[in-house]
């Protein structure tokens, strides 16, 4: 049965290919440092579940050491601007087909194979159907892109390396921060946060509790870089015991708007690299934090609106 372990092996193919490409680049001054970083990342993705926890931890520290020493990008042979303009004129809107196939296949797989059974045979873990469909969608999108553009055989890996080098070590932040959020939740950080807020802020009204919960979600997301990592901490510390149990708030409203508050924090932090730093690198913006500078006013307005909606909708009896 296809589960999370097999999906991890599939995900490891990208950093593994980048590592091999770096290792074969004799002209790059830091080729072994770069190859080692992406090679270790591939090893953790593909074989991490079968390695002892101590070994996994040591490999993560090795990645940190290599990133601290510096992952210098080097030039990668690519098609010129004239060739790209000619291909764009020739293909036109067909260029969007591979990109659109990724969400299309993922959605179709999730809806059509929700129980993980194909022709009556259980092939996919029902909990991982969406991720498995995402992997299939990536393969389909890559195949279509190669068929449409007809690049040299080495181009997909070379372009993958060029993109990965432009992003750098920030590419692994989502995985690292999600793991950190899980560690915080298991360590009981939510209870510590709740205790601290009770001593600092008078959480004796639904409005005060709502402000503490929503602002706390935004701030923790800014620190962790991931609303999914901040959610169990703030919900276990403030949302569940205070807003839901003490003030009898609607659990669905509290959870939904609490997560939305976390997304407001995502818009304002460089720790959310896949949302803020990666687009700046891909678009080759001069200002590395340009995306954040544009987003933060909207994030603050949305957070204030979110607090008002949560206070009114989750506790309707309090305002009659």
């Amino acid at each position: 049965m296809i589960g999370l372990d097999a999906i991890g092996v599939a995900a490891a193919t990208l950093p593994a290919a980048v590592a091999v490409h770096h290792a074969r680049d004799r002209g790059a001054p830091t080729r072994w440092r770069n190859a080692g970083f992406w090679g270790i990342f591939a090893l953790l993705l593909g074989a991490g579940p079968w390695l002892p926890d101590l070994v996994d931890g040591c490999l993560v520290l090795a990645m940190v050491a290599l990133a601290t020493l510096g992952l210098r990008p080097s030039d990668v042979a690519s098609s010129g601007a004239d060739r790209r303009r000619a291909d764009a004129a020739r293909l036109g809107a067909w260029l969007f087909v591979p990109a659109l196939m990724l969400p299309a296949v993922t959605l179709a797989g999730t809806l059509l194979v929700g129980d993980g059974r194909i022709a009556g045979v259980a092939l996919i873990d029902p909990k991982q159907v969406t991720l498995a469909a995402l992997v299939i969608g990536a393969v389909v999108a890559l195949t279509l892109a190669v068929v449409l553009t007809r690049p040299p055989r080495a181009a997909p890996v070379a372009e993958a390396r060029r993109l990965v080098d432009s992003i750098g070590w920030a590419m692994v932040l989502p995985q690292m921060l999600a793991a950190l959020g899980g560690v915080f939740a298991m360590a009981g950080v939510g209870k510590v946060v709740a205790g601290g807020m009770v001593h600092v802020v008078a959480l004796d009204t639904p409005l005060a509790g709502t402000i503490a919960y929503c602002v706390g979600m935004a701030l923790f997301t800014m620190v962790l870089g991931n609303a999914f990592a901040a959610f169990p901490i703030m919900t276990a510390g403030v949302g569940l015991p205070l807003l839901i149990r003490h003030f009898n708030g609607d659990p669905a409203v509290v959870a939904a708007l609490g997560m939305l508050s976390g997304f407001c924090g995502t818009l304002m932090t460089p720790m959310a690299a896949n949302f803020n730093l990666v687009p700046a690198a891909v678009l080759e913006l001069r200002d590395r934090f340009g995306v954040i500078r544009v987003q933060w006013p909207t994030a603050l307005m949305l957070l204030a609106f979110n607090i008002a909606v949560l206070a009114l909708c989750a506790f309707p009896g309090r305002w009659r």
Side-chain angles (χ1 to χ4, degrees):
M1 180 177 291
I2 299 175
L4 196 59
D5 295 344
I7 294 171
V9 173
T13 55
L14 173 62
V18 172
V20 172
H21 201 278
H22 269 294
R24 297 183 62 183
D25 186 0
R26 299 180 181 274
T30 59
R31 63 167 176 155
W32 292 117
R33 191 185 304 167
N34 291 8
F37 181 88
W38 297 112
I40 292 174
F41 186 43
L43 181 62
L44 287 170
L45 287 176
W50 295 285
L51 295 175
D53 293 341
L54 179 60
V55 174
D56 285 335
C58 291
L59 290 175
V60 171
L61 293 177
M63 290 180 65
V64 173
L66 291 171
T68 302
L69 292 174
L71 304 176
R72 299 179 186 175
S74 54
D75 293 334
V76 180
S78 180
S79 59
D82 293 338
R83 169 66 185 277
R84 288 195 290 269
R85 279 194 292 267
D87 288 343
R90 176 174 59 88
L91 295 172
W94 285 99
L95 282 171
F96 293 99
V97 173
L100 294 175
M101 285 303 298
L102 182 58
V105 173
T106 304
L107 179 62
T110 302
L111 296 178
L112 299 177
V113 197
D115 59 355
R117 293 180 176 272
I118 300 177
V121 180
L123 295 179
I124 305 173
D125 182 351
K127 297 180 180 179
Q128 310 302 337
V129 169
T130 300
L131 286 178
L134 179 63
V135 172
I136 297 172
V139 174
V140 172
L142 176 60
T143 303
L144 281 175
V146 170
V147 171
L148 284 173
T149 60
R150 299 176 184 175
R153 285 183 298 177
V157 176
E159 292 300 320
R161 173 190 159 181
R162 185 176 63 83
L163 180 60
V164 166
D165 283 353
S166 66
I167 298 171
W169 60 265
M171 181 176 171
V172 308
L173 265 180
Q175 290 84 356
M176 297 291 187
L177 295 174
L180 181 62
V183 172
F184 279 4
M186 294 180 64
V189 175
K191 295 180 180 179
V192 177
V193 171
M197 285 189 172
V198 169
H199 288 89
V200 174
V201 183
L203 304 179
D204 52 355
T205 65
L207 180 60
T210 297
I211 294 174
Y213 179 55
C214 292
V215 174
M217 272 295 302
L219 292 177
F220 261 84
T221 300
M222 293 177 70
V223 173
L224 297 176
N226 193 315
F228 292 98
F231 183 76
I233 298 174
M234 289 304 302
T235 301
V238 179
L240 183 60
L242 186 66
L243 298 184
I244 296 175
R245 290 179 178 172
H246 183 66
F247 291 123
N248 298 316
D250 187 327
V253 176
V254 171
L257 294 179
M259 182 64 77
L260 183 57
S261 299
F263 293 155
C264 294
T266 301
L267 298 176
M268 299 186 287
T269 175
M271 297 298 285
N274 51 326
F275 291 102
N276 301 328
L277 297 186
V278 171
V282 172
L283 297 174
E284 299 180 354
L285 301 181
R286 295 180 180 179
D287 185 356
R288 187 184 183 194
F289 304 107
V291 175
I292 299 174
R293 297 184 198 280
V294 173
Q295 291 177 162
W296 74 262
T298 301
L300 290 179
M301 288 189 292
L302 181 59
L303 180 60
F305 176 76
N306 206 36
I307 292 172
V309 172
L310 178 54
L312 292 173
C313 295
F315 316 100
R318 296 275 178 168
W319 314 112
R320 292 174 182 170

